[in-house]
Amino acid sequence: MALTVTVDYEIMELGDVELQSGVILPGAFLAYKTYGTLRADKSNAILYPTAFGDTHVQNEWLIGEGKALDPQHYFIIVPNLLGNGLSSSPSNTPSPWDRGNFPQVTIMNNVRLQHRLVTQRFGISKLALVTGWSLGAMQTFQWAASYPDMVERIAPIAGTAKAWPHTYVFLEGVKAPLEADAAWRSGHDRQTAEKALRAVGRVYAGWGFSQAFYREERYQQLGYTLLDAFLSGFWDGNFAGRGLNPEDSQFIDDELKRLLACSVSAS
């Protein structure tokens, strides 16, 4: 009996794409999900790129009735990053660019393909807003720099247009659990990947929210009564609990390098 896999996103085929490095990524595609209805005049479109290690699912905490991104008022497009397991990634790209040979991609590469999605798939010429968290914020800055006549507003959250020394220190801390794990360095299965990514999530937990958030127990507003439950349910689940293909989880190392090299002025 054939296994039926249900997905909640769509795919835009992009053909062979030349990356910033000059390498051709064959048969590239973007996975994306939309929320709400695009008006006839296409004036209510919002682009909401994904962050480090995330898929569109992790973006949904800001989307919903009465929330900041309300589908009753806006048409929200969430494109998945290259390499995150849904868009073109090490696990779904044919040889010779699969697995560890997947080419390095940049923030600009992602933004250019997102521009094709917005303009060619939906015929949108103006975006009411581009917003994103962390690496999504970096993409937001890139959108404003690359397509200033198209982007009416930006709302970058916890991100920067350039990787400053403080960014370097933060990301070195995120990398440390991976580099200290001998099993990760030697190639890993799903169990190894989940263990290493859980450690990354625990490092990220101290940076992802403020001192006031924890002191005032704001995690209770997210449905967690106890702090330990929040750490395991939110942070472990966010990084280790998404069933990421081990071949794609290894690409996280490259995502960190991409963050460290980020500079809108260099693109």
Side-chain angles (χ1 to χ4, degrees):
M1 183 176 179
L3 177 65
T4 301
V5 178
T6 302
V7 298
D8 66 343
Y9 56 88
E10 298 179 73
I11 295 290
M12 181 178 181
E13 302 287 350
L14 298 162
D16 296 345
V17 170
E18 182 176 356
L19 303 175
Q20 245 184 318
S21 62
V23 171
I24 302 297
L25 178 62
F29 60 90
L30 279 185
Y32 67 94
K33 186 173 180 178
T34 63
Y35 308 78
T37 302
L38 184 63
R39 291 177 186 157
D41 63 2
K42 302 184 180 181
S43 62
N44 66 330
I46 292 176
L47 189 75
Y48 182 19
T50 55
F52 165 68
D54 284 353
T55 71
H56 60 277
V57 174
Q58 282 71 44
N59 276 23
E60 291 179 341
W61 67 289
L62 278 179
I63 302 172
E65 184 177 354
K67 295 186 177 181
L69 304 180
D70 192 331
Q72 293 194 20
H73 303 290
Y74 305 109
F75 179 66
I76 303 137
I77 308 167
V78 181
N80 284 273
L81 272 171
L82 295 172
N84 79 342
L86 300 184
S87 293
S88 288
S89 302
S91 64
N92 57 32
T93 298
S95 179
W97 296 112
D98 59 335
R99 302 189 181 187
N101 295 319
F102 192 76
Q104 182 176 1
V105 295
T106 64
I107 289 177
M108 186 63 195
N109 291 146
N110 278 280
V111 168
R112 285 176 177 167
L113 298 186
Q114 292 165 14
H115 181 265
R116 288 180 58 184
L117 170 68
V118 169
T119 58
Q120 296 175 17
R121 176 60 56 92
F122 298 108
I124 295 169
S125 58
K126 287 280 187 181
L127 287 167
L129 174 71
V130 180
T131 186
W133 171 276
S134 186
L135 182 52
M138 290 180 166
Q139 294 168 79
T140 298
F141 281 118
Q142 186 67 64
W143 261 95
S146 298
Y147 306 105
D149 295 334
M150 186 175 180
V151 178
E152 295 183 336
R153 305 169 191 85
I154 63 170
I157 306 167
T160 176
K162 177 181 178 179
W164 295 97
H166 186 260
T167 315
Y168 176 85
V169 172
F170 160 54
L171 294 175
E172 283 297 305
V174 173
K175 283 169 55 182
L178 303 179
E179 295 177 342
D181 191 327
W184 176 277
R185 294 197 309 270
S186 62
H188 47 271
D189 56 19
R190 187 176 300 278
Q191 184 176 5
T192 301
E194 289 180 355
K195 176 183 175 183
L197 293 175
R198 185 176 296 108
V200 170
R202 291 300 176 105
V203 172
Y204 222 103
W207 291 85
F209 294 104
S210 68
Q211 294 182 38
F213 175 90
Y214 289 107
R215 185 170 55 248
E216 297 170 10
E217 301 181 336
R218 295 291 183 90
Y219 50 83
Q220 293 183 356
Q221 297 176 12
L222 300 177
Y224 298 95
T225 304
L226 301 176
L227 179 57
D228 284 340
F230 175 66
L231 290 174
S232 60
F234 185 89
W235 288 107
D236 290 359
N238 191 45
F239 278 86
R242 67 189 59 177
L244 191 64
N245 190 305
E247 295 170 10
D248 297 325
S249 62
Q250 202 161 18
F251 191 62
I252 283 178
D253 294 338
D254 293 322
E255 276 199 345
L256 290 169
K257 293 175 184 175
R258 182 161 69 250
L259 281 164
L260 288 169
C262 174
S263 176
V264 168
S265 63
S267 59

